[in-house]
Amino acid sequence: MPNPHPPPLTPHPNTYLWCDACRRSYGHDDAPDGRCPVCANPVRPMGKVSAIVRGLMANELVASDLRTKHRQLVRLIWTRNGMGERYYKVLAPDLPYNRFEARVTELLCQGAEEGWVRFVFPPAPSSNDAAYKVEFDDEERFVREMEALFMPEEKSTGR
Ligand SMILES: [Zn+2]
């Protein structure tokens, strides 16, 4: 009897196989046994557009570039106008400047995460440097953390 819906020329037109573990898609030829060629978890068929969009979203989620850029922006904000060098000269820590800069940047990022530091950004990129700033909700905390980082001997005798 005639089949009212003849099979398409290719068995899986416009579908891909998606691996939830790897968060990426494969062609049917790459996973003939229905398992991810990378991690061997079962893959599931997914429409082409859906697979592409999911792949893009997955890349977005793992991209570390934004995080790196964010950190660079934080570093640029607190070190601008020679402030980084001034802190460095005053504190005279026993490490090269670039490592000092990285550690203070890390401290400020940590402070922002914990809520005692705030970074203020203009809503759109601005030529007004003053629109970018660090604000301290707890200046004492910053001073204490800086002492702990760069003057460990004073901290140990002071407490
Ligand atoms: Zn996989």
Side-chain angles (χ1 to χ4, degrees), residues 19 21-22 26 36 38-41:
C19 173
C22 297
Y26 300 94
C36 172
V38 174
C39 72
N41 277 309

Side-chain angles (χ1 to χ4, degrees), residues 8 10-18 24-31 43-52:
T10 56
H12 306 287
N14 291 323
T15 68
Y16 284 70
L17 295 171
W18 177 263
R24 57 161 291 186
S25 59
Y26 300 94
H28 287 265
D29 291 344
D30 297 325
V43 289
R44 57 195 170 101
M46 184 170 285
K48 184 181 181 179
V49 170
S50 180
I52 291 170

Side-chain angles (χ1 to χ4, degrees), residues 65-159:
D65 199 37
L66 280 174
R67 190 160 173 250
T68 306
K69 291 279 193 290
H70 191 160
R71 199 175 293 269
Q72 282 170 356
L73 188 53
V74 166
R75 180 173 58 80
L76 285 170
I77 289 173
W78 81 265
T79 60
R80 70 178 165 203
N81 300 326
M83 277 309 289
E85 279 91 354
R86 266 192 270 172
Y87 274 114
Y88 185 69
K89 273 187 191 147
V90 170
L91 293 165
D94 190 18
L95 75 175
Y97 176 73
N98 62 343
R99 286 195 45 217
F100 169 77
E101 210 180 68
R103 290 184 76 168
V104 176
T105 300
E106 190 53 46
L107 172 64
L108 290 170
C109 291
Q110 190 193 321
E113 198 168 304
E114 292 170 0
W116 48 275
V117 173
R118 257 178 298 127
F119 298 105
V120 179
F121 302 110
S126 169
S127 58
N128 174 17
D129 274 6
Y132 299 83
K133 54 192 170 191
V134 192
E135 290 179 352
F136 295 95
D137 280 349
D138 187 348
E139 288 186 16
E140 288 303 316
R141 173 78 183 267
F142 179 58
V143 172
R144 281 204 310 275
E145 297 279 357
M146 290 286 277
E147 281 175 353
L149 266 183
F150 302 115
M151 298 172 177
E153 70 283 357
E154 284 187 24
K155 185 196 170 199
S156 60
T157 55
R159 291 183 189 185

